[in-house]
Amino acid sequence: MVALDALVDLLSEHGRALALGSRDSVVARALRERGVAVEAVDGDWPSIQLSTRYPLVIVDLSPPTPDAAAILHCAVQHVEPGGDVVMTGEPGCDAVRRFELREVSRLAVDGHDVVRFRRSDRRTIHDVVFAARSRIARVAALGLSDRLRDADPPTVIDTRTPTDRSRFGVIAGSIHVPRTVVEWHLDPANGYRHPAVVAFDQPLVLVCNGGYSSSLAAASLLDLGFSDVGDLVGGIRAWLGAGLEVVEPDHSHLDL
């Protein structure tokens, strides 16, 4: 265990970490014993979109799981540029290469490889999305459901394709403005503003499939002068996962 102790000594310098896949992995347990604050999360991996990132993310892939790629995506999304991702078990070389992770060290513990990777410090799409989310007012599915029952509910803008809207249903009362034309159909300077959007201070909540492209679209609307813009955390996946109702789409792809 000398090698593991040495690794944990290095990782302890981060001070805090995120654990995915198992709250009780050997690395997470050892870090907690050193006083490191380790937050553990689990669930529908594409819908896990935390408001903070970490210098260290611990991933437990032992035993192997078919969710490995989704868990790794969640890890890379939440690790800071140049941060560490430590994995017990591996998803495979192709997955590691795809997420721009560089192997730093490797050791065997209890029959499993414990591999320390370093995330690229290149500005990736994860960094762009995180920057966008720091500017907007995100809302969880149950929170949006509550707000839609208020006397003055926000306008929900569904940015998904007609195909996805037909497959998964839509939030009742939402309007359809595809992501490709969000800026065009909401900015009055274009001359084709959507009739449901009437003011720059109107509360708007954008919805997509998983809560990623909606974050970018919401931040883009802030750049155009809208002041009360957010998106649905986890997108329609999270809405359905919370057991909330949807209805059949009843309008065209432009809703004009």
Side-chain angles (χ1 to χ4, degrees):
M1 286 295 187
V2 175
L4 178 61
D5 289 342
L7 174 62
V8 172
D9 283 342
L10 291 172
L11 299 178
S12 297
E13 298 178 0
H14 289 306
R16 62 191 184 91
L18 175 67
L20 305 177
S22 172
R23 162 182 301 275
D24 225 15
S25 71
V26 62
V27 177
R29 189 165 59 248
L31 285 170
R32 286 194 179 94
E33 291 173 355
R34 304 288 181 89
V36 176
V38 180
E39 178 183 354
V41 297
D42 201 350
D44 179 23
W45 300 109
S47 296
I48 296 174
Q49 296 165 21
L50 307 178
S51 60
T52 187
R53 292 195 291 182
Y54 298 79
L56 167 64
V57 178
I58 306 159
V59 178
D60 186 5
L61 298 179
S62 59
T65 169
D67 291 332
I71 296 173
L72 192 53
H73 176 272
C74 188
V76 176
Q77 175 185 338
H78 290 101
V79 70
E80 296 171 352
D84 285 325
V85 176
V86 175
M87 278 187 269
T88 303
E90 282 191 76
C93 294
D94 288 343
V96 170
R97 192 179 306 113
R98 186 192 322 156
F99 289 106
E100 294 190 12
L101 294 172
R102 177 176 60 85
E103 183 174 325
V104 176
S105 63
R106 177 186 297 263
L107 59 112
V109 178
D110 297 334
H112 297 287
D113 283 341
V114 175
V115 190
R116 180 187 180 190
F117 295 95
R118 179 71 43 79
R119 202 215 93 167
S120 166
D121 59 5
R122 179 181 70 83
R123 181 174 170 82
T124 70
I125 185 58
H126 298 296
D127 303 316
V128 174
V129 170
F130 186 78
R133 288 173 176 167
S134 70
R135 303 173 57 200
I136 63 177
R138 310 201 76 202
V139 58
L142 293 176
L144 177 58
S145 178
D146 289 342
R147 288 182 62 186
L148 291 177
R149 291 193 292 269
D150 290 344
D152 186 23
T155 299
V156 177
I157 300 173
D158 190 333
T159 66
R160 294 175 297 150
T161 65
T163 299
D164 284 336
R165 284 160 52 81
S166 295
R167 287 173 63 199
F168 302 113
V170 304
I171 297 173
S174 62
I175 65 173
H176 185 209
V177 183
R179 176 63 190 99
T180 53
V181 292
V182 164
E183 293 84 358
W184 291 103
H185 283 283
L186 270 66
D187 190 335
N190 179 46
Y192 292 94
R193 188 179 204 171
H194 195 291
V197 179
V198 297
F200 282 107
D201 61 354
Q202 179 177 347
L204 305 175
V205 177
L206 278 69
V207 176
C208 67
N209 279 327
Y212 291 89
S213 64
S214 59
S215 296
L216 298 176
S220 180
L221 292 180
L222 287 179
D223 292 336
L224 293 179
F226 292 89
S227 60
D228 190 353
V229 188
D231 76 332
L232 175 60
V233 178
I236 202 69
R237 287 179 61 115
W239 182 270
L240 293 172
L244 298 170
E245 292 185 358
V246 292
V247 298
E248 292 291 326
D250 60 356
H251 38 65
S252 73
H253 72 287
L254 291 181
D255 196 23
L256 291 175

